[in-house]
């Protein structure tokens, strides 16, 4: 069961979580203290000091989250029920500062570092930007939001699962920033893209709409499961399409089409990343810590709105081609899976530049 199947918390639970979270964070910190001490002693055995690193990082991230929630409270108290002219901008600064603290902690404790592969083009000044990104590996959503906010100078407007409202900070902060929480499957209704379309229509000239067309983190198991489901449903063309992708899932196109139709004037950034896509289980992540010498490598390609098709069929073909490029690049960097699907490495083209 993925995040898409988890409904948002009831309204009363959301309020209770917001009040209880700082107290819960203090309790978690108390429980983590002996683990940190044990991790420090265990580092004499485990020279990579993984238990010490992870426990320190976990506590640090908890308090980054709590600090952002408390800053949301401060902004609410300052506003006193009246809409402030800088309400959204104030919350955006809280978000960017929190992302920066989280990235500093991740680099300090586990060696997580974002590295650009080539020059990053930020799009036309004064025009909105829509970014379609690969979804794989631990922390990719936060890393890409940080990259777009701090390096590209674009304020991320994020499309994310409604289940993440169980984190009171995410619920409060991203709601006030006009991000879109995709409804769970149990309460989605007929059109789950209406919010994506509305978010795209409301983009300002310095915003970036960040979407993950795959809908879920890549893993070999999910790739196999998707191929099996498509095969059972008789979608042979889609099966062949999925088989040609070794390190990505085929992009879902409804949200892509909705956002591009809503803002044909926007530039479009395609974001690929490599280095962490094969870390899909806790054991694999644990074995890779610290990530020294394993950068979170990001490659971007930016297109003017005039270079992107404006009809649904054209958009679908275009995003499929972009995902072919991403998959070929990632496969060249990370390698392919075991050829259990009947394809050999010789059937995959070299990455296009």
């Amino acid at each position: 069961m993925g995040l898409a199947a988890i409904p948002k918390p009831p309204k009363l639970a959301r309020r209770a979580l917001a009040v209880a979270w700082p107290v819960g964070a203090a309790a978690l910190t108390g429980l983590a203290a002996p683990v940190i001490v044990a991790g420090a002693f265990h580092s004499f055995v485990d020279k990579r000091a993984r238990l010490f690193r992870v426990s320190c990082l976990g506590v640090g991230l908890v308090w980054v989250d709590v600090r952002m929630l408390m800053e949301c409270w401060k902004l609410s108290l300052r506003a006193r029920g009246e809409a402030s002219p800088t309400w959204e901008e104030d919350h955006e600064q809280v978000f960017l500062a929190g992302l920066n603290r989280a990235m500093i902690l991740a680099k300090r404790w586990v060696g997580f570092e974002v590295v650009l592969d080539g020059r990053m083009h930020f799009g036309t000044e004064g025009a909105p930007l829509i970014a379609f990104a690969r979804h794989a590996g631990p922390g990719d959503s936060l890393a890409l939001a940080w990259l777009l906010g701090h390096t590209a100078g674009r304020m991320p407007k994020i499309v994310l699962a409604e289940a993440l409202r169980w984190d009171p900070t995410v619920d409060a902060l991203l709601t006030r920033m006009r991000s879109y929480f995709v409804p769970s499957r149990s309460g989605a209704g007929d059109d789950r893209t209406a919010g994506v379309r509305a978010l795209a229509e409301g983009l300002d000239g310095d915003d970036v709409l960040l979407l993950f067309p795959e809908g879920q983190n890549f893993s070999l198991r999910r790739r196999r499961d998707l191929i099996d489901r498509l095969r059972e449903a008789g979608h042979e063309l889609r099966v062949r399409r999925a088989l040609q992708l070794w390190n990505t899932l085929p992009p879902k196109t409804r949200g892509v089409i909705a956002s591009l139709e809503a803002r044909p004037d926007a530039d479009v950034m395609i974001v690929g990343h490599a280095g962490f896509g094969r870390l899909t289980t806790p054991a694999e992540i644990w074995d890779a810590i610290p990530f020294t010498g394993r950068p979170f490598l990001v490659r971007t390609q930016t297109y003017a709105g005039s270079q992107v098709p404006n009809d649904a069929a054209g958009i679908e073909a275009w995003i499929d081609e972009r995902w072919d490029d991403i998959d070929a690049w990632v496969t060249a960097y990370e390698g392919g899976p075991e050829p259990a699907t009947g394809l050999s490495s010789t059937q995959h083209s070299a990455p296009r530049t």
Side-chain angles (χ1 to χ4, degrees), residues 5-77:
I6 303 175
K8 68 179 179 182
K11 189 173 183 179
L12 184 60
R14 291 164 66 186
R15 292 177 177 175
L17 285 168
V19 175
W21 177 221
V23 178
L28 285 172
T29 303
L31 292 172
V35 178
I36 293 173
V37 173
F41 282 104
H42 189 256
S43 63
F44 291 105
V45 177
D46 178 7
K47 298 303 181 182
R48 289 187 281 168
R50 288 171 290 187
L51 180 60
F52 181 68
R53 291 174 184 274
V54 171
S55 53
C56 287
L57 175 61
V59 170
L61 292 178
V62 163
W63 286 104
V64 167
D65 193 81
V66 171
R67 179 172 176 175
M68 288 192 291
L69 179 62
M70 297 181 75
E71 288 175 345
C72 286
W73 292 353
K74 287 170 61 178
L75 291 172
S76 297
L77 290 173

Side-chain angles (χ1 to χ4, degrees), residues 199-217:
L199 190 55
E201 290 172 348
L203 290 175
D204 293 329
D206 59 350
D207 289 340
V208 54
L209 174 58
L210 177 58
L211 297 96
F212 298 89
E214 290 158 289
Q216 56 185 339
N217 266 339

Side-chain angles (χ1 to χ4, degrees), residues 26 58 64 94 130 194 297 299 309 330:
V64 167
V94 170
I130 298 176
L297 188 65
R299 186 184 75 159
V330 175

Side-chain angles (χ1 to χ4, degrees), residues 232-293:
E232 290 171 2
H235 299 306
E236 289 303 321
L237 288 176
R238 295 181 65 190
V239 168
R240 287 199 292 270
R241 166 75 186 146
L243 284 170
Q244 291 172 359
L245 301 174
W246 274 15
N247 284 287
T248 58
L249 301 175
K252 299 176 181 179
T253 57
R254 291 181 63 194
V256 174
I257 292 169
S259 60
L260 293 180
E261 287 183 341
R263 291 307 295 264
D265 60 317
D267 292 340
V268 180
M269 178 184 285
I270 304 297
V271 185
H273 60 81
F276 285 74
R278 293 305 180 85
L279 305 182
T280 59
T281 67
E284 290 168 344
I285 296 170
W286 180 264
D287 288 342
I289 294 172
F291 304 125
T292 307

Side-chain angles (χ1 to χ4, degrees), residues 216 218-236 238-246 248-250 337 340-343:
Q216 56 185 339
F218 171 86
S219 71
L220 295 179
R221 178 184 59 79
R222 284 178 176 150
R223 177 180 181 270
R224 288 192 297 267
D225 290 347
L226 175 62
I227 291 170
D228 289 342
R229 288 197 303 271
L230 292 174
R231 186 172 283 131
E232 290 171 2
H235 299 306
E236 289 303 321
R238 295 181 65 190
V239 168
R240 287 199 292 270
R241 166 75 186 146
L243 284 170
Q244 291 172 359
L245 301 174
W246 274 15
T248 58
L249 301 175
T341 60
L343 290 181

Side-chain angles (χ1 to χ4, degrees), residues 320-337:
D320 279 345
E321 290 175 2
R322 303 289 77 74
W323 241 248
D324 288 344
D325 292 341
I326 290 177
D327 190 79
W329 175 73
V330 175
T331 300
Y333 187 83
E334 295 185 352

